[in-house]
Amino acid sequence: MADIDGKWLAKRHGQLKQARATLDTHCQEIAQLVLPMMATFQMQGYTQPQGEKRTLKLMESTAPLALDRYTSAVTGFLVPRGERWSILTTNNKDLNKSQKVKLFFDDANDMLFNMRYDPRAGFQTQVHGCISGVGAFGTAGLFVDGIASMDGRGAVKARYKGAGGYSVGTQYTGIPLVNLYISQGANGMVDTVHREWRHSARNCIADFGEDCPQTIRDAAEKDPDQEFTIVHAVMPNPTRIIGAPGFKGMAYASFYMWLDKAEIIRRSGYRTLRYAIARGPSGVGEHYGRSAAMLVLAEIKSINEMRRSLIRAQHMSLNPPTLIHSEMGAQFKMRPNDVNSGMVSADGKPLAIPFLTGANFNPTEKEMERIRMVINDAFLLTLFQILVDDRQRTAFEVAERAKEKAQLVAPLITRLQSEFLGTMIESEMDIMADYGALPEMPPELIEAQGEYQITYKSDVMRALEAGEIQAYRQWMEDVAPMANVNPAILEVVDHEGIARETAEKRGIPTRHIRNEKQLAGLRKQREDAEQAAQVLPAAEQLAGIEQTSAQTQ
């Protein structure tokens, strides 16, 4: 990392910005018509006026409203609040059979969700902003950072020695595309992230402490809110030595730089990429994703122009120009209740008449309605409306409907899970491990070097995985008539195994699923109870006989 200096880093940042110049123009046009508050792609490096009007080009609100609903729907599918939408497991079948390993991952998963949904973490609102950026511009980022404090601000307690009293948490910062520059590696995954933003002098001192340049310190004394351009660059560590302690062993190098002076403020590193990048589908050779708004930009521009023209035409129709004789022009009055003497001919005909164009607005309104449907289609709104059906359905029909919905939205959701949530969860696990907040790892998992994999359990994924469960239900319906004649038919299928697998697929925590030993104990208790129930009446009957015999004697 010592080989990288401020000049090289500033040059690299300039190259990333230059490579995105065309996209910035494209996104600025989209922002003005779809997400006006983000219409700042051509204002980078400048202090932006507070409260500036950015809706001057927006004449029709179909696209902004569609984006808002798209964001809420996709966020609900991706990270539904109140659900455990991801679980940790291993890809080792033998380890997955271990109750200790299962409980370890259950505890770790609970800690992840406790930190994630802590009110101070800001997870839900920041992810919502990221999905909005994907819908509008095709790309957004989420920075995941950790906190450890003595004042109880974290969501979980640290467990390593000497950390008594420390609490650990995560903080999430959504990074809009306007501040984000990326580059992907040979595998097509993002491995280089530059974030540029304007930072006040007082916040620079708060963030960088003693590392803050003296010039910024001096500026803070005169004007604490004076802004400076800061860049955070994260890239593969060029001097990494695998297994080495400290920064040399880190997979990623991290640099905070004062861009105005090309001065590196702080150097460090990460074991994982702390920027989770959310992207839509991208073209060949493109590093940035494309959005639903890009797909229908022509329609969005058309409906805005049509709305503008329609307003002018309607204004013309409601307040038409007046045709009068040239000699009366200066004397004609247009205000309500005004009296215009001499403006009627001797035979009663008005000498001033309105100019009526006779325009027919219906074709324009019908075309605008068609365009609205196209825009709503691009943002998946039509799909969501079709899937809302109040008719009563059988369980099978409901499951098939859910599966159909999942298949339609799966391409978008699975892309975001793989690249966006996967990177985020890896960072969260790294933060927890770094602060000693993970539960004690079982020996067999330590031997496997703590390997884990992420499985997603949102409604979409459960619906896609419901094929086997639905097949079992259908089989039960098919054999039910035969089972009435011969109950032994039901023994063809391992009902207990299917029940266990169904519970796992539905995301039920391991601690709530009885293991085989516990089930054996329950069976033994049930058998003992049944035997006791059979013996007790016989004993009572025998005691009654003996008592009767004694009384007879």
Side-chain angles (χ1 to χ4, degrees), residues 308-321:
R308 190 189 307 274
S309 299
L310 186 61
I311 289 174
R312 289 173 178 168
Q314 290 173 335
H315 191 193
M316 176 80 75
S317 178
L318 294 172
N319 297 280

Side-chain angles (χ1 to χ4, degrees), residues 82-101:
E83 293 185 21
R84 288 292 196 265
W85 42 262
S86 71
I87 61 173
L88 301 173
T89 60
T90 76
N91 52 13
N92 187 313
K93 292 183 179 180
D94 294 331
L95 285 178
N96 279 331
K97 294 178 182 178
S98 169
Q99 187 72 3
K100 291 182 179 179
V101 171

Side-chain angles (χ1 to χ4, degrees), residues 128-150:
H128 190 276
C130 289
I131 301 304
S132 178
V134 172
F137 312 119
T139 307
L142 183 73
F143 181 60
V144 185
D145 202 6
I147 57 171
S149 63
M150 292 289 291

Side-chain angles (χ1 to χ4, degrees), residues 255-274:
F255 304 91
Y256 282 94
M257 176 180 64
W258 178 16
L259 185 60
D260 301 329
K261 300 293 184 180
E263 179 180 345
I264 293 178
I265 301 174
R266 177 176 293 170
R267 301 168 183 260
S268 61
Y270 302 119
R271 284 181 289 270
T272 59
L273 183 62
R274 293 294 181 85

Side-chain angles (χ1 to χ4, degrees), residues 343-358:
M343 294 306 297
V344 180
S345 64
D347 56 357
K349 294 181 179 180
L351 299 181
I353 58 175
F355 177 67
L356 301 177
T357 62

Side-chain angles (χ1 to χ4, degrees), residues 119-176:
R120 295 172 293 268
F123 172 76
Q124 198 73 13
T125 55
Q126 299 302 314
V127 169
H128 190 276
C130 289
I131 301 304
S132 178
V134 172
F137 312 119
T139 307
L142 183 73
F143 181 60
V144 185
D145 202 6
I147 57 171
S149 63
M150 292 289 291
D151 58 6
R153 289 189 60 213
V156 299
K157 293 294 183 181
R159 295 170 181 262
Y160 60 88
K161 293 181 179 180
Y166 272 93
S167 58
V168 179
T170 46
Q171 290 181 323
Y172 303 85
T173 305
I175 313 299

Side-chain angles (χ1 to χ4, degrees), residues 144-457:
V144 185
D145 202 6
I147 57 171
S149 63
M150 292 289 291
D151 58 6
R153 289 189 60 213
V156 299
K157 293 294 183 181
R159 295 170 181 262
Y160 60 88
K161 293 181 179 180
Y166 272 93
S167 58
V168 179
T170 46
Q171 290 181 323
Y172 303 85
T173 305
I175 313 299
L177 180 60
V178 67
N179 300 123
L180 188 69
Y181 303 90
I182 62 175
S183 179
Q184 63 187 24
N187 61 354
M189 301 293 288
V190 173
D191 64 0
T192 300
V193 178
H194 283 219
R195 172 194 174 196
E196 177 185 331
W197 77 104
R198 300 282 290 175
H199 216 34
S200 67
R202 66 183 185 88
N203 286 333
C204 286
I205 294 175
D207 287 345
F208 305 125
E210 296 180 356
D211 296 331
C212 189
Q214 187 60 44
T215 303
I216 297 179
R217 290 174 175 276
D218 295 340
E221 296 180 1
K222 300 177 182 178
D223 183 3
D225 294 321
Q226 181 179 342
E227 292 185 337
F228 299 86
T229 302
I230 305 298
V231 171
H232 184 204
V234 179
M235 65 190 71
N237 188 350
T239 60
R240 183 190 183 192
I241 301 175
I242 298 178
F247 295 144
K248 290 185 178 180
M250 299 286 185
Y252 294 91
S254 168
F255 304 91
Y256 282 94
M257 176 180 64
W258 178 16
L259 185 60
D260 301 329
K261 300 293 184 180
E263 179 180 345
I264 293 178
I265 301 174
R266 177 176 293 170
R267 301 168 183 260
S268 61
Y270 302 119
R271 284 181 289 270
T272 59
L273 183 62
R274 293 294 181 85
Y275 283 94
I277 305 300
R279 295 189 292 178
S282 57
V284 177
E286 293 182 334
H287 294 202
Y288 295 87
R290 289 184 175 267
S291 68
M294 292 179 181
L295 187 63
V296 289
L297 180 57
E299 282 76 10
I300 294 172
K301 293 169 67 175
S302 295
I303 198 171
N304 274 272
E305 287 302 317
M306 293 174 73
R307 178 65 175 163
R308 190 189 307 274
S309 299
L310 186 61
I311 289 174
R312 289 173 178 168
Q314 290 173 335
H315 191 193
M316 176 80 75
S317 178
L318 294 172
N319 297 280
T322 303
L323 303 178
I324 59 176
H325 194 277
S326 60
E327 295 179 358
M328 305 299 295
Q331 303 175 21
F332 191 77
K333 303 173 183 178
M334 296 289 292
R335 292 176 301 180
N337 299 320
D338 277 343
V339 177
N340 289 282
S341 301
M343 294 306 297
V344 180
S345 64
D347 56 357
K349 294 181 179 180
L351 299 181
I353 58 175
F355 177 67
L356 301 177
T357 62
N360 183 5
F361 304 132
N362 287 336
T364 301
E365 291 175 346
K366 288 182 179 179
E367 177 62 13
M368 289 178 65
E369 189 60 31
R370 185 195 68 82
I371 294 176
R372 288 190 184 99
M373 292 182 64
V374 173
I375 295 173
N376 288 335
D377 275 342
F379 285 99
L380 306 180
L381 300 193
T382 307
L383 167 64
F384 299 142
Q385 291 169 359
I386 290 174
L387 295 173
V388 175
D389 194 341
D390 294 332
R391 292 182 298 170
Q392 292 185 349
R393 296 177 178 272
T394 65
F396 177 76
E397 289 175 331
V398 170
E400 286 298 308
R401 194 70 165 174
K403 186 175 180 180
E404 177 186 352
K405 175 173 67 173
Q407 289 171 338
L408 291 171
V409 300
L412 173 63
I413 299 301
T414 52
R415 169 183 278 272
L416 291 173
Q417 287 173 339
S418 174
E419 188 171 18
F420 179 57
L421 294 183
T423 302
M424 181 194 76
I425 294 173
E426 286 180 356
S427 295
E428 292 170 333
M429 288 291 287
D430 181 59
I431 290 169
M432 291 175 67
D434 191 38
Y435 286 125
L438 286 173
E440 186 175 351
M441 193 176 294
E444 52 266 48
L445 192 57
I446 294 175
E447 186 177 348
Q449 298 181 346
E451 65 174 37
Y452 69 90
Q453 66 179 8
I454 305 163
T455 303
Y456 298 99
K457 293 296 180 182

